[in-house]
Amino acid sequence: MNCSSCCAAAASSPPGVLARPRIPHSPSSRASSRLSRREVIAFAGQQSWDIGRFVRTLYFFNGPPNPLKIVESIISSFTGSASSEAPKKMETSNVVLVTGATGGVGRRVVDVLRKKGLPVRVLARNEDKARSMLGPDVDLIIGDVTKEDTLDPKLFKGIKKVVNAVSVIVGPKEGDTPDRQKYKQGIKFFEPEIKGPSPEMVEYIGMQNLINAIKNSVGLSEGKLLFGLKGNLSGKIVWGALDDVVMGGVSESAFQILPTGSETGGPTGLFKGIVSTSNNGGFTSIRTKNFTVPEDLSAYDGIELRVKGDGRRYKLIIRTSYEWDTVGYTASFDTTKGEWQSVKLPFSSLRPVFRARTMTDAPPFDASNITSLQLMFSKFEYDGKLNPTFTEGPFELPFSSIRAYINEPVTPRFVHVSSAGVTRPERPGLDLSKQPPAVRLNKELGSILTYKLKGEDLIRESGIPYTIVRPCALTEEPAGADLIFDQGDNITGKISREEVALICVAALASPNAVGKTFEVKSTVPFSEPYVIDPSNPPPEKDYEAYFKELKEGITGKEALEATPA
């Protein structure tokens, strides 16, 4: 079957559904032999069909449909019926990546996540050490933040959130005991030195490498712009008309850029055309050419369009295959006439549709492999239902942006364990003799706090929803002591590693922790060890009460006279 015969057969079907082949009577057969190559005259009362536009459409979108799918569609038109079965829901992933997972805080974060039943993946440099410490079945990525080539972004697919406990290693110059008792006491009690890579490599360059590796997986607060006339983003997408001419109809549409058509007077995209039901047609659309590299939107929850409505109902169709004629994951949306509006279409609302039929056996929508987008105005909804807002004639739908979005309320996607004191080494008027050893020895330790602060700044500038936790001196004591949360980088004291792990995991689920940087310590002084009675453990803390009191934008850098690090 060639393309011309398949589309002539489709002329009597609804848009998107290939019809049963029609064998004409002999008079029509004789008439058809006299048709020009440029157009096909349909039966009485129908308009001419432009075969040239049909061919141009096919080859604009990389060639004609798969012939096997044409045959399948013809068979289904004889045997198929409207689907009553609900389509499969999109599968989502909530894997939490823990980096620095063999350290004192990191391994406790893994324990807390496991106890909560959350899926955990670990980034570690040493496989044997990680498996011996965390179990042989740990979900493991072998990589080193200081070595960019070990952090292939493909390894981080499916990860939605990160707890970063990577830290430069500081140890005693004269060596430690086999059970690391000196390390557990802290550098207040021994002469320290940097072990392994420098603070610059770990805290700054390592942070750059880690952010680059996980950015696509965890997502950005403001979403990911797919179409918008900012910079050269409009050039990323090439739109073309895909109308009912492919089914024998005569509707026609186009994509244009209006230089001053947006709500702010700037440029905007425009989907416009004339829709007709002649030849049993009734749909127009614009579709992107296949993306050179599929878009990975697995970090996001849906697509948001900014459109100026005309009171009609439209469709957004997303494809996850490079084939021209394949299942489109589809959602309808209504517009308000004459008003600019934001339309949010959750990925969970998409239904798999092929030739206007819901495909209940289609695979779940894969947001990590988006190959093209399509906007459609159609007489038909799905499975024989009609669009209640459909009218023939001209239409226009300006749209200024298409972006992927994260559901609100947004929670942190990146929780980072830093350190109290990072802004103090260069703070004017500070009495260093009253500061912790790390502040006094900042330069001797490779400017450890300076690079920790630079690493924090990379997180704050990344656009990723974040929380930065700055613990005071870390101890091996149990969690449970009363806590003080503060901002501005002024407090000193101690806090248990177990407590820090609990705070990090709590922050992952808290909208009130987003964009916050804070210090934390126990109310118990250094001179007093903190112990608990195992038969009467302290109650679980409501960390949310602490998060609510924190403010965005306070980092302690406000006290520095020089420009930010």
Side-chain angles (χ1 to χ4, degrees):
M1 178 183 291
N2 59 37
C3 292
S4 298
S5 60
C6 103
C7 289
S12 61
S13 69
V17 180
L18 199 61
R20 302 176 178 87
R22 177 183 296 180
I23 301 174
H25 297 296
S26 54
S28 298
S29 298
R30 289 192 297 271
S32 64
S33 67
R34 295 191 295 270
L35 297 179
S36 72
R37 293 183 180 181
R38 291 290 299 163
E39 59 181 21
V40 175
I41 304 300
F43 295 95
Q46 296 184 326
Q47 296 183 23
S48 61
W49 174 62
D50 188 342
I51 191 172
R53 185 159 66 94
F54 161 75
V55 172
R56 289 194 300 273
T57 298
L58 291 187
Y59 282 93
F60 181 86
F61 294 103
N62 302 326
N66 186 327
L68 292 177
K69 292 201 171 185
I70 294 171
V71 175
E72 290 173 2
S73 181
I74 293 172
I75 294 172
S76 70
S77 70
F78 282 101
T79 61
S81 59
S83 171
S84 59
E85 184 180 347
K88 297 176 184 177
K89 293 291 185 183
M90 179 189 71
E91 295 178 348
T92 58
S93 171
N94 293 300
V95 177
V96 180
L97 176 72
V98 181
T99 64
T102 58
V105 173
R107 68 173 182 267
R108 289 171 170 87
V109 171
V110 173
D111 289 341
V112 174
L113 290 168
R114 284 173 168 172
K115 288 176 183 177
K116 289 182 173 291
L118 297 173
V120 183
R121 191 171 300 165
V122 164
L123 174 67
R125 293 179 296 170
N126 187 308
E127 180 175 359
D128 292 338
K129 180 180 179 181
R131 294 197 186 281
S132 65
M133 185 176 291
L134 303 172
D137 298 327
V138 63
D139 185 359
L140 187 61
I141 298 172
I142 303 300
D144 184 340
V145 297
T146 67
K147 299 175 181 177
E148 185 179 13
D149 59 353
T150 69
L151 303 181
D152 185 344
K154 293 178 183 177
L155 298 173
F156 301 92
K157 276 195 172 184
I159 288 168
K160 277 290 185 73
K161 302 198 173 190
V162 178
V163 177
N164 180 40
V166 170
S167 179
V168 68
I169 299 173
V170 180
K173 284 186 177 180
E174 70 278 9
D176 206 342
T177 62
D179 55 358
R180 302 191 73 192
Q181 283 303 311
K182 290 183 178 179
Y183 164 79
K184 293 174 182 178
Q185 290 175 348
I187 64 174
K188 182 175 181 179
F189 304 101
F190 61 81
E191 188 177 358
E193 68 176 359
I194 299 296
K195 308 284 188 178
S198 68
E200 181 182 12
M201 286 300 302
V202 176
E203 305 288 351
Y204 181 61
I205 295 175
M207 182 67 76
Q208 284 181 319
N209 294 339
L210 180 60
I211 289 173
N212 290 337
I214 57 90
K215 200 169 187 177
N216 280 340
S217 293
V218 301
L220 305 177
S221 297
E222 65 177 15
K224 184 173 184 177
L225 189 65
L226 302 175
F227 170 80
L229 298 167
K230 292 183 178 179
N232 63 354
L233 277 172
S234 61
K236 287 181 63 178
I237 290 182
V238 179
W239 297 92
L242 180 54
D243 303 320
D244 57 18
V245 68
V246 298
M247 297 300 180
V250 297
S251 300
E252 194 165 358
S253 67
F255 167 76
Q256 296 178 0
I257 294 177
L258 299 180
T260 58
S262 77
E263 56 194 312
T264 59
T268 188
L270 176 66
F271 170 33
K272 64 179 294 186
I274 299 175
V275 65
S276 169
T277 57
S278 295
N279 299 7
N280 291 323
F283 79 87
T284 60
S285 75
I286 54 172
R287 175 174 163 179
T288 66
K289 277 194 168 184
N290 285 336
F291 304 142
T292 304
V293 177
E295 287 283 356
D296 181 358
L297 301 183
S298 56
Y300 302 95
D301 299 299
I303 296 289
E304 180 180 18
L305 302 97
R306 187 69 181 169
V307 303
K308 184 178 182 180
D310 59 2
R312 294 180 172 94
R313 177 176 295 176
Y314 293 86
K315 293 178 183 177
L316 174 71
I317 303 171
I318 305 174
R319 284 181 171 78
T320 59
S321 169
Y322 277 121
E323 292 184 41
W324 187 88
D325 197 24
T326 187
V327 169
Y329 295 85
T330 307
S332 297
F333 61 94
D334 292 308
T335 65
T336 303
K337 188 173 183 178
E339 291 186 10
W340 280 97
Q341 60 189 111
S342 293
V343 176
K344 287 188 173 182
L345 302 174
F347 290 144
S348 59
S349 70
L350 299 175
R351 64 166 68 206
V353 175
F354 183 65
R355 300 191 187 280
R357 295 176 185 273
T358 301
M359 307 300 290
T360 57
D361 59 346
F365 174 68
D366 180 6
S368 71
N369 190 50
I370 292 174
T371 58
S372 69
L373 303 174
Q374 186 174 356
L375 286 171
M376 176 178 283
F377 178 49
S378 175
K379 173 182 177 180
F380 292 88
E381 282 285 282
Y382 320 99
D383 306 317
K385 295 181 180 179
L386 299 178
N387 179 352
T389 70
F390 179 79
T391 56
E392 291 191 72
F395 69 92
E396 290 190 353
L397 182 71
F399 61 104
S400 58
S401 66
I402 301 176
R403 73 173 64 243
Y405 69 88
I406 296 175
N407 278 337
E408 294 182 349
V410 177
T411 55
R413 297 290 178 93
F414 193 102
V415 175
H416 173 58
V417 182
S418 182
S419 173
V422 293
T423 69
R424 298 180 209 174
E426 305 300 328
R427 187 180 295 179
L430 198 66
D431 185 352
L432 291 180
S433 66
K434 296 180 180 179
Q435 292 299 313
V439 177
R440 300 196 307 269
L441 298 173
N442 181 56
K443 290 183 179 179
E444 289 81 354
L445 293 174
S447 298
I448 180 173
L449 295 180
T450 302
Y451 283 111
K452 280 183 178 287
L453 180 59
K454 287 189 173 188
E456 287 185 8
D457 287 337
L458 291 175
I459 299 170
R460 284 187 279 264
E461 295 163 4
S462 69
I464 298 171
Y466 71 88
T467 300
I468 296 174
V469 184
R470 292 171 170 172
C472 291
L474 295 166
T475 72
E476 293 293 298
E477 295 170 333
D482 291 337
L483 300 176
I484 294 174
F485 280 56
D486 199 15
Q487 292 181 282
D489 195 19
N490 297 301
I491 62 174
T492 60
K494 68 176 181 177
I495 186 170
S496 82
R497 292 179 172 88
E498 182 182 354
E499 192 83 63
V500 174
L502 290 167
I503 291 169
C504 289
V505 174
L508 287 174
S510 173
N512 290 304
V514 173
K516 309 291 179 62
T517 301
F518 61 90
E519 299 78 51
V520 60
K521 72 172 185 174
S522 147
T523 59
V524 180
F526 265 114
S527 58
E528 297 178 17
Y530 176 72
V531 295
I532 62 173
D533 179 359
S535 64
N536 185 29
E540 290 187 13
K541 287 189 177 65
D542 178 14
Y543 297 106
E544 193 67 17
Y546 295 100
F547 297 147
K548 287 180 179 178
E549 298 301 316
L550 300 173
K551 297 179 180 179
E552 293 187 41
I554 300 178
T555 66
K557 291 167 62 176
E558 303 82 14
L560 300 177
E561 290 182 350
T563 56

